Amino acid sequence: MPTETGVLQFLKICDSFYPADAVDASISQQRQWYDALCARFDQPVPEGLTSADALVSDRIATRHYRPKAIRTETALLYLHGGGFVVGSLESHHAICAEIADFAGAELVSVDYRLAPENRWPAQTDDCFEVLKHLLVSGRQVVLIGDSAGGNLAAGLAIRARQQRLGGITGQVLIYPALGGDLLSGSYREMQNAPGLRTSDVAYYRAMVKAPPGDPVAEPLAAASFAELPAAFITVAHFDPLRDDGRRYAAKLARAGVEVWFREEPQLVHAWLRARHMSDGARVAFRAVCEAASRFAAA
């Protein structure tokens, strides 16, 4: 367990909205709990920032954030977390707004299809369609995602490499799920960590039904990590997903890819929502924003 007061207060609030055994409930109940939890931590958007919803390819809902001061034409593409089962444009609304405002860049958030109603590759296909839409329009793109969204972001970088699509200037992966072995490393050490358990990760994998060993679904399984975009990867110490990010950063570095890596010693999974109440999360979130800004200016 962490000892930072702000993190402990955050966990207490989370427990009051989202029970530890939430995955045992119905899908609709899980989504209701998650939406209520995210609403509890909602924040007003930065002054002067505007947002508008739009469809891509007449079916994929997206939300476009435009800060008052635009300093780059590079777009930020945000893919939300939630185990592929929960989450929406609303769940990460303030997070997206704050990143866009800090970077001075337009940000596009994707409301990709959720499991179990839609199994893999529906999620990556929706996100890849939006990515191609941005790239075809001539924009450069920074990929950003947390948790399951970090999985999708890393997978998009691999898909883009497979199809020889240029224009991705960086990837920001926040406590990403990248397909690690559930029986070893942090999956074993942190199997009962607060906020996310290893059994929860197994549940989400069973819901999305991605093929084991596919590099887009499990980026750690890629045969090569060369020629992927520069990456900023941040993990939480008290998180079963911790070693996924550690291992991915090491593989990218060995392949000659520029990598920035942070491990937050007092943080837990989903700390993004604690960014206004935890000192550790506040510093970690600023590092995320600075990485997005740096890649957008590249």
Side-chain angles (χ1 to χ4, degrees), residues 3-260:
T3 58
E4 193 210 302
T5 301
V7 175
L8 296 176
Q9 292 174 339
F10 168 69
L11 289 171
K12 184 176 181 180
I13 295 171
C14 289
D15 288 344
S16 69
F17 280 86
Y18 202 78
D21 59 352
V23 297
D24 295 330
S26 68
I27 296 297
S28 61
Q29 179 63 79
Q30 290 182 52
R31 289 173 183 163
Q32 289 176 24
W33 282 334
Y34 188 78
D35 290 346
L37 172 65
C38 294
R40 165 60 179 80
F41 292 104
D42 199 15
Q43 294 286 327
V45 301
E47 184 179 354
L49 180 139
T50 60
S51 64
D53 294 352
L55 292 179
V56 171
S57 300
D58 296 324
R59 65 174 185 84
I60 306 169
T62 62
R63 181 165 295 168
H64 297 243
Y65 296 83
R66 188 171 180 83
K68 182 177 182 180
I70 295 287
R71 298 188 298 275
T72 176
E73 290 303 310
T74 299
L76 312 178
L77 180 60
Y78 196 96
L79 313 174
H80 70 76
F84 310 106
V85 172
V86 299
S88 64
L89 296 178
E90 297 301 329
S91 65
H92 288 61
H93 179 66
I95 292 168
C96 290
E98 291 172 29
I99 294 174
D101 187 70
F102 186 99
E106 182 181 350
L107 184 149
V108 180
S109 179
V110 184
D111 196 20
Y112 56 83
R113 287 170 288 175
L114 298 177
E117 298 92 335
N118 302 280
R119 308 290 191 179
W120 197 91
Q123 297 74 26
T124 181
D125 283 351
D126 286 354
C127 297
F128 195 55
E129 190 68 23
V130 178
L131 172 62
K132 289 190 296 183
H133 175 77
L134 291 170
L135 293 175
V136 168
S137 71
R139 306 288 294 276
Q140 291 188 311
V141 176
V142 178
L143 300 170
I144 310 175
D146 68 286
S147 194
N151 170 282
L152 291 169
L156 290 195
I158 291 172
R159 287 187 75 169
R161 184 185 64 177
Q162 290 173 344
Q163 298 193 22
R164 300 184 181 279
L165 293 177
I168 299 174
T169 62
Q171 49 183 328
V172 178
L173 310 180
I174 306 161
Y175 39 80
L178 301 172
D181 175 17
L182 297 182
L183 300 178
S184 64
S186 57
Y187 283 105
R188 185 183 181 95
E189 180 188 352
M190 295 293 169
Q191 61 182 318
N192 293 312
L196 183 73
R197 302 173 300 184
T198 298
S199 58
D200 298 330
V201 180
Y203 167 84
Y204 293 131
R205 289 187 184 182
M207 288 296 100
V208 77
K209 293 192 181 301
D214 184 293
V216 174
E218 298 184 345
L220 280 169
S224 171
F225 300 86
E227 300 180 352
L228 287 171
F232 172 89
I233 302 172
T234 179
V235 300
H237 179 75
F238 297 96
D239 185 352
L241 298 180
R242 182 191 66 210
D243 287 355
D244 278 18
R246 275 184 180 176
R247 292 179 59 207
Y248 202 62
K251 287 176 179 288
L252 290 171
R254 283 196 294 268
V257 176
E258 191 169 17
V259 181
W260 288 266

